Amino acid sequence: MSETGTVARIKIWQSNVRGADWYYRLRQRPGLQIVFVLLAVVLIAAVFAPVISPQDPAAQDLYGKNQWMSADHWFGTDYLGRDLFSRVVCGLQTSMAIAVTTIVITFVIGTAIGSYAGYKGGWVDNVIARVIDVFLAFPSIILALALVTLLGSGILNMIFMLSIVQWASFARLMRGQVLAEKNAEYVLSARAAGLPGWWILLKHLMPNCIMPVVVLATMDLGHTILTISTLSFLGLGLPPSIPEWGSMINAGLDSMRTAPLNVIVPGLAITTVTLLFNLAGEGVRDITDPGTDAEGSL
Amino acid sequence: MQPLLSAECLSKNYGHGDIFRDVSFTVDAGETIGLFGMSGSGKSTLGRCLIGLERLSDGRVLFEGAEVSKLSERRLRELRPAMQMLFQHPEMSMDPRMRLCDSVAEPLAYHEGRERSDVFSDLLPLIAAVGLRPDQFSCYPNQLSGGEIQRAMMVKIYSLSPKLIIADEPTSMLDMSVQAQILGLMKNLQKKNNTACVFISHDPQVMLAMCDRIGVLGEKTFRVMNAGEFAGYAADLSV
């Protein structure tokens, strides 16, 4: 290690800001920095999609359908002559809005139920754990299909259904974390000091148990986007009027041989965003866990 | 005079057999009683049962005449500051994601409804008494040594003015010189505050240095000895 590196390390070690630890580990990982930057670009693109998309994603131009990439249409046009770049960017907004809302809902519900069960123990924990098992026993895509058939398509229904499918994995992880941590000496010490259960749960157990759940949430964002696309591909997700990647691939299948961009562009978009979230999830785990080494990680 | 703590016929089992059985003893105010036993004899479990952190299978513990296991959750929480515990692994006994100043001031701040910074400034004399500097309390536990955290732990415990401290092998993870310092410190603080102590250890030397009477947890037996008797017993053990 260079001398300046050593000095920097000692300085960080001496500083009492806990954040310095993860900042140091992030600085060791240039690959991860790139992932975070790309993810930031994706998020910004999702928020400002209507501003960024050069053309109206719904505007048809039947004379200019199935075009290859050009200055006018960066990613070409689809089978109705709509600008693929604009459609992909607007599809990103749709997917991200649904995925983020779903993850926020499942994160809150899952951690609340899981940590309560883990801390409370006894029959309460037993009942909740069995309910979690039941939800996890269903294959998620089948459960989602059943719910869509029951509820019909639409953004709100999609969020509701994805939340029902996913909360259990958050609850299970959080429950396990709390179970492992609740007999730690600092928790016993807090109990011995006469602090009430809710206080111990919120101020001590949650902060010490939450990190793996945050990692799961980051990875699950990618997973959720994939599920949304899968359902839309099967024609069960969103109405065709809303640009969405899965339904774009589905619609492009007919002309796949003559106009492959119809399928390739949304397909690559799904792959890229899912990959970015997976890498970011692993990255968050690496930089928040002092035990991991820079070797072998991004 | 009523003893501070009396344990009557305590037993605990985990379903696959007894951890300990028929344990009875009393602790008077200001007195130090030792709990001696080999690894796995149930010393730590007994310690936790005494202050209601774990449930007993049988028997009862009276603290100032009140039966600990019969108290309502609320009443027990009110009583808890009077019975404190010092743990075996200093590095685990403070919340790793809290600065020490927050950890140390938290219980008193909660019970008295005050700001932590306010409470912390009241603790400065106690911090000086255990031989730490206030600036060390802006650290996280992983930035300090075991001995330093154990001292900080004593600040936390004594801030609640306990009447009884359960010390569960508080020095077993520390090296000899630090061990002596911590034990000395414990004795001083105990004397000054007239605190009773149940001292759990597997080290006969430490027992003899700290305790007035010693309860020996054998296999399914429990016997309280005075220091002289215990010295003989320990000598037999080491042969």
PDB file of all heavy atoms in Angstrom, chain A residues 15-16 18 185-186 188-189 191-196 199 204 207-208, chain B residues 53 77 80 84 87 89 92 95-97 106 110-111 138 140 153 156:
ATOM      1  N   SER A  15     -11.130   8.645  12.635  1.00  0.00           N
ATOM      2  CA  SER A  15     -12.319   9.493  12.689  1.00  0.00           C
ATOM      3  C   SER A  15     -13.451   8.695  13.325  1.00  0.00           C
ATOM      4  O   SER A  15     -13.527   7.483  13.211  1.00  0.00           O
ATOM      5  CB  SER A  15     -12.728   9.929  11.294  1.00  0.00           C
ATOM      6  OG  SER A  15     -13.555   8.962  10.721  1.00  0.00           O
ATOM      7  N   ASN A  16     -14.306   9.409  14.021  1.00  0.00           N
ATOM      8  CA  ASN A  16     -15.344   8.702  14.755  1.00  0.00           C
ATOM      9  C   ASN A  16     -16.652   8.598  13.996  1.00  0.00           C
ATOM     10  O   ASN A  16     -17.654   8.157  14.515  1.00  0.00           O
ATOM     11  CB  ASN A  16     -15.589   9.392  16.091  1.00  0.00           C
ATOM     12  CG  ASN A  16     -14.406   9.186  16.996  1.00  0.00           C
ATOM     13  OD1 ASN A  16     -13.745   8.160  16.907  1.00  0.00           O
ATOM     14  ND2 ASN A  16     -14.112  10.151  17.827  1.00  0.00           N
ATOM     15  N   ARG A  18     -18.940   6.809  11.804  1.00  0.00           N
ATOM     16  CA  ARG A  18     -19.044   5.425  11.401  1.00  0.00           C
ATOM     17  C   ARG A  18     -19.124   5.287   9.891  1.00  0.00           C
ATOM     18  O   ARG A  18     -18.626   4.346   9.298  1.00  0.00           O
ATOM     19  CB  ARG A  18     -20.261   4.782  12.043  1.00  0.00           C
ATOM     20  CG  ARG A  18     -20.178   3.295  11.940  1.00  0.00           C
ATOM     21  CD  ARG A  18     -21.313   2.618  12.623  1.00  0.00           C
ATOM     22  NE  ARG A  18     -21.253   1.222  12.262  1.00  0.00           N
ATOM     23  CZ  ARG A  18     -20.596   0.315  12.940  1.00  0.00           C
ATOM     24  NH1 ARG A  18     -19.940   0.658  14.007  1.00  0.00           N
ATOM     25  NH2 ARG A  18     -20.581  -0.935  12.541  1.00  0.00           N
ATOM     26  N   GLU A 185     -25.735  -9.671  24.105  1.00  0.00           N
ATOM     27  CA  GLU A 185     -25.621  -9.077  25.433  1.00  0.00           C
ATOM     28  C   GLU A 185     -26.088  -7.628  25.473  1.00  0.00           C
ATOM     29  O   GLU A 185     -26.620  -7.181  26.477  1.00  0.00           O
ATOM     30  CB  GLU A 185     -24.176  -9.218  25.925  1.00  0.00           C
ATOM     31  CG  GLU A 185     -23.858 -10.684  26.211  1.00  0.00           C
ATOM     32  CD  GLU A 185     -22.456 -10.921  26.712  1.00  0.00           C
ATOM     33  OE1 GLU A 185     -21.628  -9.999  26.631  1.00  0.00           O
ATOM     34  OE2 GLU A 185     -22.188 -12.037  27.190  1.00  0.00           O
ATOM     35  N   TYR A 186     -25.926  -6.889  24.360  1.00  0.00           N
ATOM     36  CA  TYR A 186     -26.376  -5.496  24.418  1.00  0.00           C
ATOM     37  C   TYR A 186     -27.888  -5.391  24.489  1.00  0.00           C
ATOM     38  O   TYR A 186     -28.423  -4.441  25.050  1.00  0.00           O
ATOM     39  CB  TYR A 186     -25.811  -4.665  23.254  1.00  0.00           C
ATOM     40  CG  TYR A 186     -26.334  -5.017  21.884  1.00  0.00           C
ATOM     41  CD1 TYR A 186     -27.497  -4.435  21.395  1.00  0.00           C
ATOM     42  CD2 TYR A 186     -25.657  -5.910  21.068  1.00  0.00           C
ATOM     43  CE1 TYR A 186     -27.976  -4.740  20.135  1.00  0.00           C
ATOM     44  CE2 TYR A 186     -26.127  -6.230  19.816  1.00  0.00           C
ATOM     45  CZ  TYR A 186     -27.283  -5.644  19.353  1.00  0.00           C
ATOM     46  OH  TYR A 186     -27.758  -5.952  18.115  1.00  0.00           O
ATOM     47  N   LEU A 188     -29.800  -7.801  26.039  1.00  0.00           N
ATOM     48  CA  LEU A 188     -30.086  -8.166  27.433  1.00  0.00           C
ATOM     49  C   LEU A 188     -29.807  -6.985  28.346  1.00  0.00           C
ATOM     50  O   LEU A 188     -30.557  -6.707  29.277  1.00  0.00           O
ATOM     51  CB  LEU A 188     -29.220  -9.355  27.852  1.00  0.00           C
ATOM     52  CG  LEU A 188     -29.547 -10.689  27.199  1.00  0.00           C
ATOM     53  CD1 LEU A 188     -28.603 -11.763  27.712  1.00  0.00           C
ATOM     54  CD2 LEU A 188     -30.989 -11.079  27.476  1.00  0.00           C
ATOM     55  N   SER A 189     -28.719  -6.296  28.045  1.00  0.00           N
ATOM     56  CA  SER A 189     -28.349  -5.152  28.857  1.00  0.00           C
ATOM     57  C   SER A 189     -29.425  -4.070  28.796  1.00  0.00           C
ATOM     58  O   SER A 189     -29.777  -3.456  29.808  1.00  0.00           O
ATOM     59  CB  SER A 189     -27.004  -4.619  28.369  1.00  0.00           C
ATOM     60  OG  SER A 189     -26.774  -3.333  28.843  1.00  0.00           O
ATOM     61  N   ARG A 191     -32.590  -4.651  28.179  1.00  0.00           N
ATOM     62  CA  ARG A 191     -33.739  -5.158  28.927  1.00  0.00           C
ATOM     63  C   ARG A 191     -33.507  -5.000  30.418  1.00  0.00           C
ATOM     64  O   ARG A 191     -34.405  -4.589  31.159  1.00  0.00           O
ATOM     65  CB  ARG A 191     -33.978  -6.638  28.605  1.00  0.00           C
ATOM     66  CG  ARG A 191     -34.714  -6.846  27.301  1.00  0.00           C
ATOM     67  CD  ARG A 191     -34.885  -8.309  27.001  1.00  0.00           C
ATOM     68  NE  ARG A 191     -35.627  -9.011  28.037  1.00  0.00           N
ATOM     69  CZ  ARG A 191     -35.561 -10.331  28.231  1.00  0.00           C
ATOM     70  NH1 ARG A 191     -34.784 -11.070  27.476  1.00  0.00           N
ATOM     71  NH2 ARG A 191     -36.277 -10.885  29.175  1.00  0.00           N
ATOM     72  N   ALA A 192     -32.281  -5.336  30.837  1.00  0.00           N
ATOM     73  CA  ALA A 192     -31.966  -5.223  32.261  1.00  0.00           C
ATOM     74  C   ALA A 192     -32.068  -3.781  32.741  1.00  0.00           C
ATOM     75  O   ALA A 192     -32.332  -3.521  33.904  1.00  0.00           O
ATOM     76  CB  ALA A 192     -30.574  -5.778  32.537  1.00  0.00           C
ATOM     77  N   ALA A 193     -31.865  -2.841  31.815  1.00  0.00           N
ATOM     78  CA  ALA A 193     -31.934  -1.433  32.205  1.00  0.00           C
ATOM     79  C   ALA A 193     -33.387  -0.961  32.308  1.00  0.00           C
ATOM     80  O   ALA A 193     -33.647   0.189  32.627  1.00  0.00           O
ATOM     81  CB  ALA A 193     -31.168  -0.565  31.206  1.00  0.00           C
ATOM     82  N   GLY A 194     -34.330  -1.857  32.006  1.00  0.00           N
ATOM     83  CA  GLY A 194     -35.736  -1.493  32.165  1.00  0.00           C
ATOM     84  C   GLY A 194     -36.326  -0.767  30.974  1.00  0.00           C
ATOM     85  O   GLY A 194     -37.359  -0.127  31.089  1.00  0.00           O
ATOM     86  N   LEU A 195     -35.667  -0.844  29.810  1.00  0.00           N
ATOM     87  CA  LEU A 195     -36.231  -0.212  28.619  1.00  0.00           C
ATOM     88  C   LEU A 195     -37.339  -1.109  28.073  1.00  0.00           C
ATOM     89  O   LEU A 195     -37.221  -2.330  28.082  1.00  0.00           O
ATOM     90  CB  LEU A 195     -35.141  -0.022  27.559  1.00  0.00           C
ATOM     91  CG  LEU A 195     -33.969   0.860  27.996  1.00  0.00           C
ATOM     92  CD1 LEU A 195     -32.856   0.829  26.973  1.00  0.00           C
ATOM     93  CD2 LEU A 195     -34.444   2.288  28.223  1.00  0.00           C
ATOM     94  N   PRO A 196     -38.430  -0.505  27.587  1.00  0.00           N
ATOM     95  CA  PRO A 196     -39.547  -1.324  27.102  1.00  0.00           C
ATOM     96  C   PRO A 196     -39.223  -2.020  25.776  1.00  0.00           C
ATOM     97  O   PRO A 196     -38.327  -1.598  25.049  1.00  0.00           O
ATOM     98  CB  PRO A 196     -40.673  -0.307  26.918  1.00  0.00           C
ATOM     99  CG  PRO A 196     -39.993   1.006  26.786  1.00  0.00           C
ATOM    100  CD  PRO A 196     -38.712   0.926  27.536  1.00  0.00           C
ATOM    101  N   TRP A 199     -39.078  -0.089  22.443  1.00  0.00           N
ATOM    102  CA  TRP A 199     -37.900   0.783  22.390  1.00  0.00           C
ATOM    103  C   TRP A 199     -36.677  -0.032  21.955  1.00  0.00           C
ATOM    104  O   TRP A 199     -35.918   0.367  21.061  1.00  0.00           O
ATOM    105  CB  TRP A 199     -37.674   1.392  23.777  1.00  0.00           C
ATOM    106  CG  TRP A 199     -36.458   2.274  23.896  1.00  0.00           C
ATOM    107  CD1 TRP A 199     -35.158   1.886  23.948  1.00  0.00           C
ATOM    108  CD2 TRP A 199     -36.452   3.706  23.981  1.00  0.00           C
ATOM    109  NE1 TRP A 199     -34.337   2.972  24.056  1.00  0.00           N
ATOM    110  CE2 TRP A 199     -35.102   4.112  24.085  1.00  0.00           C
ATOM    111  CE3 TRP A 199     -37.448   4.680  23.995  1.00  0.00           C
ATOM    112  CZ2 TRP A 199     -34.721   5.441  24.193  1.00  0.00           C
ATOM    113  CZ3 TRP A 199     -37.060   6.014  24.106  1.00  0.00           C
ATOM    114  CH2 TRP A 199     -35.717   6.382  24.197  1.00  0.00           C
ATOM    115  N   HIS A 204     -32.513  -0.564  19.046  1.00  0.00           N
ATOM    116  CA  HIS A 204     -31.338  -1.437  19.090  1.00  0.00           C
ATOM    117  C   HIS A 204     -31.385  -2.557  18.054  1.00  0.00           C
ATOM    118  O   HIS A 204     -30.443  -2.741  17.307  1.00  0.00           O
ATOM    119  CB  HIS A 204     -31.175  -2.033  20.491  1.00  0.00           C
ATOM    120  CG  HIS A 204     -30.882  -1.004  21.534  1.00  0.00           C
ATOM    121  ND1 HIS A 204     -29.666  -0.377  21.637  1.00  0.00           N
ATOM    122  CD2 HIS A 204     -31.650  -0.454  22.490  1.00  0.00           C
ATOM    123  CE1 HIS A 204     -29.697   0.503  22.623  1.00  0.00           C
ATOM    124  NE2 HIS A 204     -30.903   0.478  23.166  1.00  0.00           N
ATOM    125  N   PRO A 207     -31.775  -1.236  13.947  1.00  0.00           N
ATOM    126  CA  PRO A 207     -30.566  -0.748  13.285  1.00  0.00           C
ATOM    127  C   PRO A 207     -29.519  -1.839  13.082  1.00  0.00           C
ATOM    128  O   PRO A 207     -28.774  -1.806  12.106  1.00  0.00           O
ATOM    129  CB  PRO A 207     -30.030   0.322  14.255  1.00  0.00           C
ATOM    130  CG  PRO A 207     -31.175   0.696  15.099  1.00  0.00           C
ATOM    131  CD  PRO A 207     -32.061  -0.506  15.195  1.00  0.00           C
ATOM    132  N   ASN A 208     -29.477  -2.820  13.978  1.00  0.00           N
ATOM    133  CA  ASN A 208     -28.470  -3.871  13.853  1.00  0.00           C
ATOM    134  C   ASN A 208     -28.891  -5.009  12.936  1.00  0.00           C
ATOM    135  O   ASN A 208     -28.074  -5.838  12.568  1.00  0.00           O
ATOM    136  CB  ASN A 208     -28.121  -4.421  15.236  1.00  0.00           C
ATOM    137  CG  ASN A 208     -27.179  -3.508  15.978  1.00  0.00           C
ATOM    138  OD1 ASN A 208     -26.026  -3.359  15.599  1.00  0.00           O
ATOM    139  ND2 ASN A 208     -27.679  -2.847  16.994  1.00  0.00           N
TER     140      ASN A 208
ATOM    141  N   LEU B  53     -34.270 -12.082  33.546  1.00  0.00           N
ATOM    142  CA  LEU B  53     -34.029 -12.043  32.104  1.00  0.00           C
ATOM    143  C   LEU B  53     -34.360 -13.383  31.469  1.00  0.00           C
ATOM    144  O   LEU B  53     -34.529 -13.491  30.270  1.00  0.00           O
ATOM    145  CB  LEU B  53     -32.567 -11.678  31.805  1.00  0.00           C
ATOM    146  CG  LEU B  53     -32.171 -10.226  32.009  1.00  0.00           C
ATOM    147  CD1 LEU B  53     -30.692 -10.027  31.769  1.00  0.00           C
ATOM    148  CD2 LEU B  53     -32.982  -9.303  31.133  1.00  0.00           C
ATOM    149  N   ARG B  77     -40.248  -3.637  34.951  1.00  0.00           N
ATOM    150  CA  ARG B  77     -39.417  -2.616  34.294  1.00  0.00           C
ATOM    151  C   ARG B  77     -39.031  -1.505  35.253  1.00  0.00           C
ATOM    152  O   ARG B  77     -37.930  -0.979  35.206  1.00  0.00           O
ATOM    153  CB  ARG B  77     -40.165  -2.030  33.089  1.00  0.00           C
ATOM    154  CG  ARG B  77     -40.009  -2.793  31.821  1.00  0.00           C
ATOM    155  CD  ARG B  77     -40.004  -1.873  30.604  1.00  0.00           C
ATOM    156  NE  ARG B  77     -41.130  -0.959  30.571  1.00  0.00           N
ATOM    157  CZ  ARG B  77     -42.331  -1.264  30.080  1.00  0.00           C
ATOM    158  NH1 ARG B  77     -42.540  -2.447  29.578  1.00  0.00           N
ATOM    159  NH2 ARG B  77     -43.300  -0.381  30.090  1.00  0.00           N
ATOM    160  N   ARG B  80     -36.268  -2.891  37.468  1.00  0.00           N
ATOM    161  CA  ARG B  80     -35.045  -3.354  36.801  1.00  0.00           C
ATOM    162  C   ARG B  80     -33.807  -2.507  37.042  1.00  0.00           C
ATOM    163  O   ARG B  80     -32.736  -3.062  37.247  1.00  0.00           O
ATOM    164  CB  ARG B  80     -35.294  -3.495  35.298  1.00  0.00           C
ATOM    165  CG  ARG B  80     -36.004  -4.807  35.009  1.00  0.00           C
ATOM    166  CD  ARG B  80     -35.516  -5.395  33.714  1.00  0.00           C
ATOM    167  NE  ARG B  80     -35.567  -6.849  33.779  1.00  0.00           N
ATOM    168  CZ  ARG B  80     -36.332  -7.608  33.002  1.00  0.00           C
ATOM    169  NH1 ARG B  80     -37.093  -7.044  32.103  1.00  0.00           N
ATOM    170  NH2 ARG B  80     -36.311  -8.902  33.122  1.00  0.00           N
ATOM    171  N   GLN B  84     -28.755  -4.783  38.137  1.00  0.00           N
ATOM    172  CA  GLN B  84     -28.037  -4.643  36.871  1.00  0.00           C
ATOM    173  C   GLN B  84     -27.130  -5.830  36.601  1.00  0.00           C
ATOM    174  O   GLN B  84     -26.866  -6.636  37.490  1.00  0.00           O
ATOM    175  CB  GLN B  84     -27.223  -3.353  36.872  1.00  0.00           C
ATOM    176  CG  GLN B  84     -28.097  -2.128  36.671  1.00  0.00           C
ATOM    177  CD  GLN B  84     -28.860  -2.203  35.370  1.00  0.00           C
ATOM    178  OE1 GLN B  84     -28.284  -2.240  34.293  1.00  0.00           O
ATOM    179  NE2 GLN B  84     -30.188  -2.236  35.463  1.00  0.00           N
ATOM    180  N   PHE B  87     -21.644  -8.048  31.777  1.00  0.00           N
ATOM    181  CA  PHE B  87     -21.566  -9.252  30.948  1.00  0.00           C
ATOM    182  C   PHE B  87     -20.144  -9.720  30.683  1.00  0.00           C
ATOM    183  O   PHE B  87     -19.174  -9.007  30.880  1.00  0.00           O
ATOM    184  CB  PHE B  87     -22.279  -9.009  29.620  1.00  0.00           C
ATOM    185  CG  PHE B  87     -23.758  -8.840  29.777  1.00  0.00           C
ATOM    186  CD1 PHE B  87     -24.323  -7.580  29.876  1.00  0.00           C
ATOM    187  CD2 PHE B  87     -24.577  -9.945  29.851  1.00  0.00           C
ATOM    188  CE1 PHE B  87     -25.681  -7.428  30.021  1.00  0.00           C
ATOM    189  CE2 PHE B  87     -25.931  -9.810  30.004  1.00  0.00           C
ATOM    190  CZ  PHE B  87     -26.488  -8.544  30.085  1.00  0.00           C
ATOM    191  N   HIS B  89     -18.757 -10.691  27.664  1.00  0.00           N
ATOM    192  CA  HIS B  89     -18.060 -10.214  26.468  1.00  0.00           C
ATOM    193  C   HIS B  89     -18.241  -8.717  26.336  1.00  0.00           C
ATOM    194  O   HIS B  89     -19.251  -8.276  25.810  1.00  0.00           O
ATOM    195  CB  HIS B  89     -18.608 -10.906  25.223  1.00  0.00           C
ATOM    196  CG  HIS B  89     -18.591 -12.400  25.320  1.00  0.00           C
ATOM    197  ND1 HIS B  89     -19.705 -13.137  25.612  1.00  0.00           N
ATOM    198  CD2 HIS B  89     -17.576 -13.283  25.202  1.00  0.00           C
ATOM    199  CE1 HIS B  89     -19.390 -14.419  25.651  1.00  0.00           C
ATOM    200  NE2 HIS B  89     -18.102 -14.541  25.409  1.00  0.00           N
ATOM    201  N   MET B  92     -19.431  -7.176  23.144  1.00  0.00           N
ATOM    202  CA  MET B  92     -20.811  -7.419  22.709  1.00  0.00           C
ATOM    203  C   MET B  92     -21.834  -6.711  23.579  1.00  0.00           C
ATOM    204  O   MET B  92     -23.021  -6.750  23.278  1.00  0.00           O
ATOM    205  CB  MET B  92     -21.117  -8.919  22.765  1.00  0.00           C
ATOM    206  CG  MET B  92     -20.183  -9.807  22.016  1.00  0.00           C
ATOM    207  SD  MET B  92     -20.668  -9.905  20.327  1.00  0.00           S
ATOM    208  CE  MET B  92     -22.185 -10.841  20.535  1.00  0.00           C
ATOM    209  N   ASP B  95     -24.274  -1.632  22.262  1.00  0.00           N
ATOM    210  CA  ASP B  95     -24.831  -1.642  20.911  1.00  0.00           C
ATOM    211  C   ASP B  95     -23.765  -1.191  19.909  1.00  0.00           C
ATOM    212  O   ASP B  95     -23.267  -0.069  19.991  1.00  0.00           O
ATOM    213  CB  ASP B  95     -26.039  -0.704  20.850  1.00  0.00           C
ATOM    214  CG  ASP B  95     -26.779  -0.799  19.525  1.00  0.00           C
ATOM    215  OD1 ASP B  95     -26.125  -1.139  18.509  1.00  0.00           O
ATOM    216  OD2 ASP B  95     -27.985  -0.545  19.502  1.00  0.00           O
ATOM    217  N   PRO B  96     -23.380  -2.077  18.945  1.00  0.00           N
ATOM    218  CA  PRO B  96     -22.287  -1.737  18.029  1.00  0.00           C
ATOM    219  C   PRO B  96     -22.587  -0.533  17.129  1.00  0.00           C
ATOM    220  O   PRO B  96     -21.670   0.054  16.569  1.00  0.00           O
ATOM    221  CB  PRO B  96     -22.116  -3.011  17.181  1.00  0.00           C
ATOM    222  CG  PRO B  96     -23.346  -3.801  17.391  1.00  0.00           C
ATOM    223  CD  PRO B  96     -23.887  -3.439  18.731  1.00  0.00           C
ATOM    224  N   ARG B  97     -23.847  -0.174  16.990  1.00  0.00           N
ATOM    225  CA  ARG B  97     -24.175   0.957  16.117  1.00  0.00           C
ATOM    226  C   ARG B  97     -24.503   2.230  16.889  1.00  0.00           C
ATOM    227  O   ARG B  97     -25.111   3.142  16.375  1.00  0.00           O
ATOM    228  CB  ARG B  97     -25.339   0.596  15.192  1.00  0.00           C
ATOM    229  CG  ARG B  97     -24.871  -0.310  14.084  1.00  0.00           C
ATOM    230  CD  ARG B  97     -25.955  -0.684  13.141  1.00  0.00           C
ATOM    231  NE  ARG B  97     -25.490  -1.732  12.261  1.00  0.00           N
ATOM    232  CZ  ARG B  97     -24.950  -1.512  11.065  1.00  0.00           C
ATOM    233  NH1 ARG B  97     -24.831  -0.296  10.596  1.00  0.00           N
ATOM    234  NH2 ARG B  97     -24.530  -2.520  10.328  1.00  0.00           N
ATOM    235  N   GLU B 106     -28.339   6.329  27.748  1.00  0.00           N
ATOM    236  CA  GLU B 106     -29.684   5.959  27.310  1.00  0.00           C
ATOM    237  C   GLU B 106     -30.660   5.567  28.433  1.00  0.00           C
ATOM    238  O   GLU B 106     -31.764   6.118  28.496  1.00  0.00           O
ATOM    239  CB  GLU B 106     -29.594   4.819  26.281  1.00  0.00           C
ATOM    240  CG  GLU B 106     -30.929   4.465  25.689  1.00  0.00           C
ATOM    241  CD  GLU B 106     -30.869   3.176  24.886  1.00  0.00           C
ATOM    242  OE1 GLU B 106     -30.002   2.334  25.179  1.00  0.00           O
ATOM    243  OE2 GLU B 106     -31.680   3.027  23.986  1.00  0.00           O
ATOM    244  N   TYR B 110     -33.954   7.710  29.421  1.00  0.00           N
ATOM    245  CA  TYR B 110     -35.304   7.180  29.220  1.00  0.00           C
ATOM    246  C   TYR B 110     -36.120   7.276  30.497  1.00  0.00           C
ATOM    247  O   TYR B 110     -37.244   7.774  30.497  1.00  0.00           O
ATOM    248  CB  TYR B 110     -35.249   5.724  28.745  1.00  0.00           C
ATOM    249  CG  TYR B 110     -36.614   5.096  28.684  1.00  0.00           C
ATOM    250  CD1 TYR B 110     -37.458   5.346  27.608  1.00  0.00           C
ATOM    251  CD2 TYR B 110     -37.096   4.304  29.733  1.00  0.00           C
ATOM    252  CE1 TYR B 110     -38.741   4.807  27.565  1.00  0.00           C
ATOM    253  CE2 TYR B 110     -38.368   3.769  29.693  1.00  0.00           C
ATOM    254  CZ  TYR B 110     -39.187   4.021  28.609  1.00  0.00           C
ATOM    255  OH  TYR B 110     -40.448   3.504  28.572  1.00  0.00           O
ATOM    256  N   HIS B 111     -35.543   6.809  31.605  1.00  0.00           N
ATOM    257  CA  HIS B 111     -36.317   6.748  32.844  1.00  0.00           C
ATOM    258  C   HIS B 111     -36.651   8.127  33.385  1.00  0.00           C
ATOM    259  O   HIS B 111     -37.686   8.310  34.015  1.00  0.00           O
ATOM    260  CB  HIS B 111     -35.559   5.937  33.902  1.00  0.00           C
ATOM    261  CG  HIS B 111     -35.548   4.470  33.609  1.00  0.00           C
ATOM    262  ND1 HIS B 111     -36.686   3.711  33.589  1.00  0.00           N
ATOM    263  CD2 HIS B 111     -34.543   3.625  33.287  1.00  0.00           C
ATOM    264  CE1 HIS B 111     -36.389   2.462  33.287  1.00  0.00           C
ATOM    265  NE2 HIS B 111     -35.085   2.377  33.081  1.00  0.00           N
ATOM    266  N   SER B 138     -17.066   9.321  22.568  1.00  0.00           N
ATOM    267  CA  SER B 138     -17.601   9.630  21.246  1.00  0.00           C
ATOM    268  C   SER B 138     -17.269   8.505  20.266  1.00  0.00           C
ATOM    269  O   SER B 138     -17.582   8.584  19.090  1.00  0.00           O
ATOM    270  CB  SER B 138     -17.050  10.963  20.744  1.00  0.00           C
ATOM    271  OG  SER B 138     -15.656  10.863  20.599  1.00  0.00           O
ATOM    272  N   TYR B 140     -17.264   4.431  18.834  1.00  0.00           N
ATOM    273  CA  TYR B 140     -18.118   3.242  18.772  1.00  0.00           C
ATOM    274  C   TYR B 140     -17.388   2.105  19.487  1.00  0.00           C
ATOM    275  O   TYR B 140     -16.155   2.135  19.588  1.00  0.00           O
ATOM    276  CB  TYR B 140     -18.390   2.872  17.315  1.00  0.00           C
ATOM    277  CG  TYR B 140     -19.330   3.844  16.659  1.00  0.00           C
ATOM    278  CD1 TYR B 140     -18.854   4.970  16.000  1.00  0.00           C
ATOM    279  CD2 TYR B 140     -20.701   3.649  16.741  1.00  0.00           C
ATOM    280  CE1 TYR B 140     -19.724   5.875  15.432  1.00  0.00           C
ATOM    281  CE2 TYR B 140     -21.582   4.546  16.171  1.00  0.00           C
ATOM    282  CZ  TYR B 140     -21.087   5.662  15.512  1.00  0.00           C
ATOM    283  OH  TYR B 140     -21.952   6.551  14.964  1.00  0.00           O
ATOM    284  N   MET B 153     -19.126   0.210  30.650  1.00  0.00           N
ATOM    285  CA  MET B 153     -20.298  -0.543  31.088  1.00  0.00           C
ATOM    286  C   MET B 153     -20.603  -0.247  32.551  1.00  0.00           C
ATOM    287  O   MET B 153     -21.761  -0.147  32.948  1.00  0.00           O
ATOM    288  CB  MET B 153     -19.986  -2.030  30.878  1.00  0.00           C
ATOM    289  CG  MET B 153     -21.162  -2.926  30.755  1.00  0.00           C
ATOM    290  SD  MET B 153     -22.220  -2.529  29.382  1.00  0.00           S
ATOM    291  CE  MET B 153     -23.698  -3.330  29.963  1.00  0.00           C
ATOM    292  N   LYS B 156     -22.409   2.898  32.808  1.00  0.00           N
ATOM    293  CA  LYS B 156     -23.814   2.712  32.441  1.00  0.00           C
ATOM    294  C   LYS B 156     -24.606   2.105  33.601  1.00  0.00           C
ATOM    295  O   LYS B 156     -25.691   2.558  33.944  1.00  0.00           O
ATOM    296  CB  LYS B 156     -23.885   1.801  31.211  1.00  0.00           C
ATOM    297  CG  LYS B 156     -25.273   1.568  30.687  1.00  0.00           C
ATOM    298  CD  LYS B 156     -25.200   0.684  29.437  1.00  0.00           C
ATOM    299  CE  LYS B 156     -26.589   0.370  28.925  1.00  0.00           C
ATOM    300  NZ  LYS B 156     -26.526  -0.480  27.728  1.00  0.00           N
TER     301      LYS B 156
END
